[in-house]
Amino acid sequence: MEDNVYIQNDTSVLYNLSPINIGTMEVESLTSYIARLSEEHCVNVNTLINEILIKEIEKEGLYRRRNLSAIYKTSTSKFNGLTTAAEKHSKILNKLTGRNDLQYITLIPYKGIINKCYLLSENKYWCPICLEEMKDSNDAVYEKLIWNFQLVDICHIHHIRLENKCTY
């Protein structure tokens, strides 16, 4: 699919960064997208969240102020899964980036189809070979949504166990 299919408007607060591999098993996760968006804007993730996302969330009235800090201290499964947080954040990011496809980098399209119990891991996991190959090929380095599933502990490409501890 061409990227311009997803553009909602000509101007946006944040860059209209294309999510990676929508519609495939290799789709990027929402938390990875937020990290890449932060990198594109030359700010850390906390700055993007605190200075842009939280302000927009408050403006839209999606959360009460006292709940915001608790939301951002939760695990990545809240943002990548079938939760209200995933719905609201993908909606806000769609608006800020001028996109309309960011719900597809969460499990929101499968709401009502799959059960959310024990679906996603509370911790981050990754395939170090996949990440190294992305880096070596000068492609965008990103975290795949599939790496968030509790039942996925082996990389389907390299057939090695996913890691959750940085070797550096």
Side-chain angles (χ1 to χ4, degrees):
M1 245 183 230
E2 292 181 19
D3 287 344
N4 62 2
V5 171
Y6 294 112
I7 297 172
Q8 286 183 330
N9 58 42
D10 293 333
T11 61
S12 62
V13 174
L14 299 172
Y15 297 139
N16 188 304
L17 184 66
S18 296
I20 300 170
N21 290 327
I22 284 185
T24 73
M25 202 165 110
E26 306 293 314
V27 66
E28 177 174 28
S29 66
L30 182 63
T31 52
S32 174
Y33 182 82
I34 291 170
R36 286 192 319 109
L37 196 57
S38 298
E39 189 175 317
E40 287 294 316
H41 285 275
C42 299
V43 298
N44 66 39
V45 173
N46 288 335
T47 301
L48 180 76
I49 290 170
N50 292 324
E51 299 301 321
I52 298 172
L53 288 181
I54 286 179
K55 287 180 180 175
E56 190 66 27
I57 285 168
E58 287 176 325
K59 189 169 102 179
E60 295 281 326
L62 295 177
Y63 296 118
R64 291 186 306 271
R65 174 50 120 164
R66 63 186 168 82
N67 293 337
L68 288 174
S69 60
I71 290 163
Y72 288 106
K73 290 180 182 174
T74 59
S75 70
T76 59
S77 66
K78 299 271 192 273
F79 299 100
N80 296 322
L82 296 166
T83 64
T84 305
E87 284 183 74
K88 290 177 180 177
H89 283 79
S90 62
K91 177 184 174 187
I92 289 294
L93 282 165
N94 274 332
K95 178 181 176 185
L96 293 172
T97 59
R99 300 195 65 82
N100 65 3
D101 57 350
L102 298 179
Q103 64 277 13
Y104 299 116
I105 59 176
T106 71
L107 295 178
I108 296 304
Y110 303 100
K111 199 170 192 169
I113 298 171
I114 57 176
N115 189 333
K116 66 181 179 181
C117 292
Y118 306 109
L119 181 62
L120 299 181
S121 175
E122 294 294 318
N123 300 310
K124 284 187 172 202
Y125 288 88
W126 59 87
C127 172
I129 298 174
C130 283
L131 293 176
E132 195 63 37
E133 286 177 354
M134 289 176 212
K135 183 179 165 193
D136 289 346
S137 66
N138 291 322
D139 288 337
V141 177
Y142 72 99
E143 296 171 20
K144 299 175 184 182
L145 183 60
I146 194 169
W147 293 343
N148 287 264
F149 284 85
Q150 279 190 20
L151 293 174
V152 176
D153 60 353
I154 303 288
C155 174
H156 69 281
I157 297 169
H158 299 105
H159 309 289
I160 64 166
R161 187 168 292 283
L162 298 179
E163 295 183 6
N164 71 345
K165 299 217 184 320
C166 181
T167 56
Y168 300 103

